[in-house]
Amino acid sequence: MSDHHTYKKIEVVGSSPKGTDDAIRNALAECSKSLKNIDWFEVIETRGHVVNGEIGHFQVTLKVGFKLEHS
């Protein structure tokens, strides 16, 4: 086994009408369908979509880090 690891980060945007936590969870759930070895996430940006003067959706930009296989 290697004594080091190599990681990759990707950027994704999650959304939810319920709130920022739910937007983060939605993004990570989708990422976990196609990515292995997810280790962390960073919230980069938070914004929202306004509909008729009210919040329609919360949008959260994340960087998702995962370990590359065999590293």
Side-chain angles (χ1 to χ4, degrees), residues 6-12 28 31 35-42 62-68:
T6 303
Y7 297 88
K8 181 171 179 123
K9 289 195 291 187
I10 62 167
E11 191 170 287
V12 298
L28 291 173
C31 285
L35 295 175
K36 297 178 184 177
N37 305 316
I38 295 174
D39 279 350
W40 76 87
F41 69 91
E42 305 169 45
L62 306 173
K63 286 195 178 180
V64 178
F66 56 97
K67 184 174 66 172
L68 297 176

Side-chain angles (χ1 to χ4, degrees), residues 4 17 26 63:
H4 72 280
N26 289 342
K63 286 195 178 180

Side-chain angles (χ1 to χ4, degrees), residues 3-58:
D3 62 351
H4 72 280
H5 301 291
T6 303
Y7 297 88
K8 181 171 179 123
K9 289 195 291 187
I10 62 167
E11 191 170 287
V12 298
V13 178
S15 66
S16 171
K18 296 178 185 177
T20 56
D21 284 354
D22 199 47
I24 292 168
R25 292 178 197 284
N26 289 342
L28 291 173
E30 286 300 315
C31 285
S32 69
K33 291 178 182 178
S34 59
L35 295 175
K36 297 178 184 177
N37 305 316
I38 295 174
D39 279 350
W40 76 87
F41 69 91
E42 305 169 45
V43 174
I44 303 302
E45 182 179 37
T46 303
R47 63 182 175 276
H49 177 228
V50 179
V51 177
N52 297 324
E54 296 187 11
I55 297 172
H57 279 87
F58 295 88

